[in-house]
Amino acid sequence: MNLGLPSIDENRVLASFLELVKIDSPTFAEQAIAATLEARLRAPGIAATNDLSGPHGGGNVIGRAPDTRADPAFGEPICLCAHMDTVQPGLGVKPVVEDGIVRSDGTTILGADNKQAIAAILEAIQTVFASGRSHRPFDVLFTWGEEKGHLGAHSVDLGALRATSAYVFDAGDEIGTIIAETPTAASIVATFHGRAAHAGIEPERGISAIQAAALAISRMRLGRIDLDTTANVGLIEGGTVRNAVPERAVVQMETRSMRAEAFEEQVAAMTTACQEGAAAVGGTVDIETHVSYRGFRLTPDDPIVLTAADALRRAGYEARIGRTGGGSDANTLIPRGMRAVNLGTAMKDLHSVRENVRVSDIAGLARVIVALLIR
Ligand SMILES: [Zn+2]
């Protein structure tokens, strides 16, 4: 298919992707991949720096494309954005390519989330520069700490970027999907306090924090609350030994909703359930609620949506508006004053050892980015 765009070297982008997934980059240890990416950006002439905003000498990698062939007629510079960190188990990834699909060896995640996008961005830049054609002015932002609350996107100095709009490539939906609606999400950690006592000799003196937590959870609506709202209890820790009444239990929960009102209601309902559970056994509870990210809603005529849709069509994809229950760096960049959108990459089974991506979708995403950069 030739739509007037320079073609993508599928073997080259695959090799680049395989190299990237082999570099360990768990959240808070993105130094090695950041160093590699700085070098990979500099090779074609991008001015790349590390803002050192992360822990242990890590940080966001920021690149500015040279103005040599940048055509201001395209309008404002855009930012191409992907995150460098991966979830666990993600150390020592051994990618396997079979039947046009890349997977891990089954013991780790693959890291297509989000290295597919990184490989595609690097490939697109190389392709555009090699074509000698004039291109949209652009910056690159590779973030750290996305998986632990978009921390790199929180800490990046937006003044270091010329771009006022960011294209994030971090949704598992098929290529062509423009995520225009995402929820607001909160993490809720409830620490139940009871009183320890010997379970066989004087249980009357004890107050079971585990029972308080169990009562609280039994009062909660969980799962899909309505079309826009979800809630989950994801982790419980409590007690010390079998024969003691447990004095402490910690319950980690979350809720997400597309609607602000439903979000507030669900947070309040889960909070009340915790207080009632604690009160029912005579214990207490401390509740910490943290809004992980704010939702956003883009209209179909938003310029960033129109630009994305145009690039997708020129790259041979059908553009469609989608919504997702997950967040991305876009959720954090938008409240900070950047326009941003998240686009589908067709990565599959994220955050699991079954994670995989089609080779054709790695190249396809690169083609979309080429279409964003040139006419
Ligand atoms: Zn991701």
Side-chain angles (χ1 to χ4, degrees):
M1 177 167 32
N2 187 341
L3 296 153
L5 296 175
S7 60
I8 296 296
D9 184 334
E10 192 169 290
N11 291 325
R12 187 173 65 182
V13 71
L14 173 62
S16 161
F17 172 69
L18 297 178
E19 184 202 323
L20 293 175
V21 299
K22 288 183 204 159
I23 302 172
D24 289 347
S25 60
T27 307
F28 305 140
E30 299 94 344
Q31 298 91 331
I33 189 142
T36 299
L37 294 177
E38 268 187 80
R40 291 283 306 271
L41 286 170
R42 285 200 189 113
I46 304 241
T49 53
N50 187 315
D51 71 2
L52 302 177
S53 61
H56 320 300
N60 297 299
V61 174
I62 298 170
R64 279 167 169 250
D67 287 329
T68 330
R69 274 193 295 271
D71 183 354
F74 276 106
E76 300 270 295
I78 61 168
C79 180
L80 304 173
C81 180
H83 65 86
M84 298 183 286
D85 62 318
T86 52
V87 296
Q88 297 284 16
L91 300 180
V93 173
K94 292 177 196 68
V96 178
V97 187
E98 211 175 60
D99 300 329
I101 296 173
V102 193
R103 313 172 186 279
S104 73
D105 64 358
T107 62
T108 66
I109 53 124
L110 174 62
D113 177 13
N114 199 206
K115 290 170 179 170
Q116 173 197 6
I118 295 176
I121 290 170
L122 294 172
E123 181 65 25
I125 293 170
Q126 212 171 336
T127 304
V128 167
F129 283 10
S131 75
R133 287 161 68 166
S134 65
H135 58 81
R136 194 187 287 277
F138 71 96
D139 296 329
V140 179
L141 173 61
F142 295 140
T143 59
W144 64 275
E146 192 276 341
E147 299 289 3
K148 293 276 162 71
H150 317 157
L151 302 174
H154 268 293
S155 61
V156 65
D157 172 12
L158 294 181
L161 298 168
R162 298 164 301 177
T164 52
S165 58
Y167 293 79
V168 176
F169 308 92
D170 195 19
D173 309 70
E174 288 301 320
I175 299 180
T177 311
I178 301 169
I179 301 296
E181 199 179 352
T182 75
T184 296
S187 70
I188 306 170
V189 179
T191 305
F192 292 87
H193 304 282
R195 190 190 305 127
H198 192 288
I201 299 171
E202 47 173 14
E204 305 73 8
R205 294 198 51 198
I207 295 174
S208 171
I210 289 180
Q211 191 174 18
L215 289 168
I217 294 166
S218 70
R219 286 162 196 258
M220 288 177 197
R221 284 184 65 206
L222 297 172
R224 184 162 294 284
I225 307 300
D226 60 40
L227 209 58
D228 299 313
T229 314
T230 59
N232 186 51
V233 173
L235 185 71
I236 302 178
E237 291 168 295
T240 49
V241 289
R242 191 200 74 248
N243 60 358
V245 177
E247 66 176 349
R248 188 168 178 275
V250 181
V251 180
Q252 295 195 30
M253 301 163 273
E254 65 151 51
T255 182
R256 307 175 193 224
S257 183
M258 302 282 182
R259 289 182 296 116
E261 198 176 302
F263 173 77
E264 300 298 342
E265 276 172 22
Q266 182 62 21
V267 170
M270 293 170 87
T271 303
T272 302
C274 289
Q275 289 160 342
E276 289 175 353
V281 297
T284 59
V285 62
D286 294 325
I287 302 167
E288 272 178 57
T289 302
H290 171 70
V291 176
S292 317
Y293 53 84
R294 290 279 168 197
F296 64 80
R297 185 173 292 176
L298 303 173
T299 57
D301 61 350
D302 189 301
I304 200 168
V305 173
L306 294 175
T307 302
D310 174 64
L312 287 165
R313 281 187 213 107
R314 285 188 296 112
Y317 292 95
E318 196 183 320
R320 67 170 201 94
I321 302 287
R323 50 160 34 192
T324 176
S328 73
D329 280 335
N331 292 74
T332 293
L333 292 171
I334 290 172
R336 295 194 61 204
M338 193 107 172
R339 291 189 299 134
V341 68
N342 188 15
L343 302 179
T345 70
M347 52 187 171
K348 305 275 190 306
D349 291 320
L350 313 190
H351 295 201
S352 85
V353 297
R354 298 180 311 280
E355 185 187 5
N356 67 91
V357 65
R358 287 186 292 257
V359 175
S360 59
D361 288 327
I362 304 174
L365 187 62
R367 194 161 62 242
V368 170
I369 299 168
V370 168
L372 264 178
L373 293 180
I374 62 180
R375 288 203 179 92

